[in-house]
Amino acid sequence: VNIIESSSNNNNDSSNVTTTLCYLPFLFAFSRRDATTPHNAQGGYEGFAALSLAMEHLNTGNGEIVSELDGINERCPLKFYTDSFDTMIRASTALNHIIDLTDRHDEKQQQQHQHRQQQELVPCAILGSGGSSLSMSTSTISSSRGVPQISSLATSVALDDNKQFPLFGRTIPSDEG
């Protein structure tokens, strides 16, 4: 998680406000590696919109869709944030994103020991990356760096191997159900 401190300037109150932020970057193929080939990324846009709406409801305690979320922002100090990264249906692009995002995790640990402020958000988990073959590659890197990955598209049974993919999870059943 990321701890963010900011100053509050409410009516002569100059106290610091601490926010605990869970950063969940979203990796998806929003485009193809060459711009000349059409690509239907509607599912990616819909997924990102749904993720953004869910985070908004969690962060504000909005219980209009899920009544159990009503007022959760007052009971739970954790806030959520996301950002999207285009994999361009390319393993090398997805892996570069994963390496960049998980390097932040290593840098934050080093900086905590040196008592310096973290500039970039460190992921609590990584969402997506696409289908099974791409998720196998990216999950190998993210797991080795201690960052969980959750996919909504990867269905390969091979990803059930907890020794090879210890921090991989999915929101869809495997090919074997």
Side-chain angles (χ1 to χ4, degrees), residues 4-8 15-19:
I4 304 196
E5 293 190 19
S6 59
S7 299
S8 172
S15 62
N16 284 340
V17 175
T18 301
T19 303

Side-chain angles (χ1 to χ4, degrees), residues 139 143 156-168 170:
S139 182
S143 289
S156 172
V157 176
L159 287 160
D160 291 338
D161 183 348
N162 290 336
K163 290 183 180 164
Q164 189 171 358
F165 308 104
L167 297 178
F168 178 80
R170 60 175 134 222

Side-chain angles (χ1 to χ4, degrees), residues 78-99:
L78 185 64
K79 300 292 180 203
F80 297 90
Y81 177 75
T82 191
D83 208 355
S84 63
F85 295 85
D86 187 359
T87 64
M88 300 168 58
I89 315 175
R90 180 187 265 166
S92 61
T93 301
L95 288 169
N96 284 336
H97 288 311
I98 293 290
I99 290 168

Side-chain angles (χ1 to χ4, degrees), residues 46-106:
E46 289 172 351
F48 190 67
L51 175 63
S52 298
L53 178 64
M55 287 184 176
E56 174 68 18
H57 283 225
L58 285 164
N59 290 341
T60 62
N62 183 332
E64 290 180 22
I65 297 173
V66 179
S67 61
E68 290 82 1
L69 294 182
D70 190 38
I72 195 168
N73 59 321
E74 296 167 10
R75 300 184 306 273
C76 177
L78 185 64
K79 300 292 180 203
F80 297 90
Y81 177 75
T82 191
D83 208 355
S84 63
F85 295 85
D86 187 359
T87 64
M88 300 168 58
I89 315 175
R90 180 187 265 166
S92 61
T93 301
L95 288 169
N96 284 336
H97 288 311
I98 293 290
I99 290 168
D100 177 55
L101 289 163
T102 57
D103 274 351
R104 297 176 186 181
H105 190 265
D106 292 337

Side-chain angles (χ1 to χ4, degrees), residues 144-159:
S144 71
R145 293 173 174 219
V147 180
Q149 181 178 329
I150 304 166
S151 175
S152 62
L153 296 174
T155 60
S156 172
V157 176
L159 287 160

